[in-house]
Amino acid sequence: MDDDERSMQYEIRPVRAEEWQQVKELRLLALQDPAAPIAFLETYEAAVQRPDSFWQERAAGSSHGTQARQFVAVAADGTWVGATVAIVERAGSKDFLGAELPVTGTHFVGVYVHPDHRGRGLIQGLFAAAAEWSWSVEGVERARLFVHQDNHRAQAAYKKIGFERSGGVVPLEADPSKLEYEMVLDKP
């Protein structure tokens, strides 16, 4: 069975505004993953302290519109097992590092697949959905993401999808001796 056939066992779709509790639960689960320290900038301890209003706003803000969209992978039993968020970054605006963005694109963040569901094509399915939405947003020319230098599994998965290292690197705030690599995917 190839990745496409395996990923068909799941529904991959945008979140709905009323699904804030599932958004919260999946994020907290992701932040407890052993790879979380090199995959996410947020900690479980910080996220669990956020009020319900934060999660409600997050789900509502990424369920519709043209600024951000969260996509989830839902198993046949209704369990949420993966997610990614695509955030629009407009050319000329400043990114999270304060650098001016040369092109309009989307920034993929919050990438997670539950360990029991890895290797089934879910990353490809989630990214296909996020990219399809991205390319539909007026002016978007590329997608990008950042990946920790030691997260070799994620780097390989992103490369398999078509992302390439841009040459951009960012030192981690918590440990400047460690880097995050920028990877980009141009609009077809």
Side-chain angles (χ1 to χ4, degrees), residues 55-132:
W55 301 104
Q56 291 163 350
E57 290 170 18
R58 179 178 262 193
S62 61
S63 66
H64 63 283
T66 59
Q67 296 309 306
R69 188 70 52 96
Q70 182 175 12
F71 294 88
V72 293
V74 183
D77 68 359
T79 304
W80 285 26
V81 298
T84 192
V85 178
I87 301 169
V88 176
E89 300 176 313
R90 295 282 170 198
S93 65
K94 304 276 185 191
D95 70 6
F96 67 101
L97 299 167
E100 187 171 318
L101 294 162
V103 300
T104 296
T106 52
H107 187 165
F108 290 8
V109 299
V111 180
Y112 175 71
V113 173
H114 187 282
D116 293 345
H117 298 269
R118 292 178 184 157
R120 299 181 185 187
L122 291 179
I123 288 288
Q124 290 88 341
L126 286 164
F127 276 35
E132 182 179 346

Side-chain angles (χ1 to χ4, degrees), residues 41 95-97 99 107 144-149 167-173 175-182:
L41 299 178
D95 70 6
F96 67 101
L97 299 167
H107 187 165
R144 73 176 183 155
L145 55 81
F146 288 86
V147 61
H148 192 282
Q149 69 182 41
V169 295
V170 176
L172 285 177
E173 189 175 315
D175 180 358
S177 71
K178 296 290 185 177
L179 302 174
E180 293 236 335
Y181 301 133
E182 181 186 51

Side-chain angles (χ1 to χ4, degrees), residues 102-106 108 127 131-132 134-135 139-145 158 161-166 182-188:
V103 300
T104 296
T106 52
F108 290 8
F127 276 35
E132 182 179 346
S134 296
W135 307 150
V140 169
E141 298 177 29
R142 72 169 192 187
R144 73 176 183 155
L145 55 81
Y158 302 151
I161 293 165
F163 280 82
E164 296 289 335
R165 284 190 42 195
S166 69
E182 181 186 51
M183 297 183 78
V184 297
L185 175 69
D186 290 325
K187 182 177 181 177

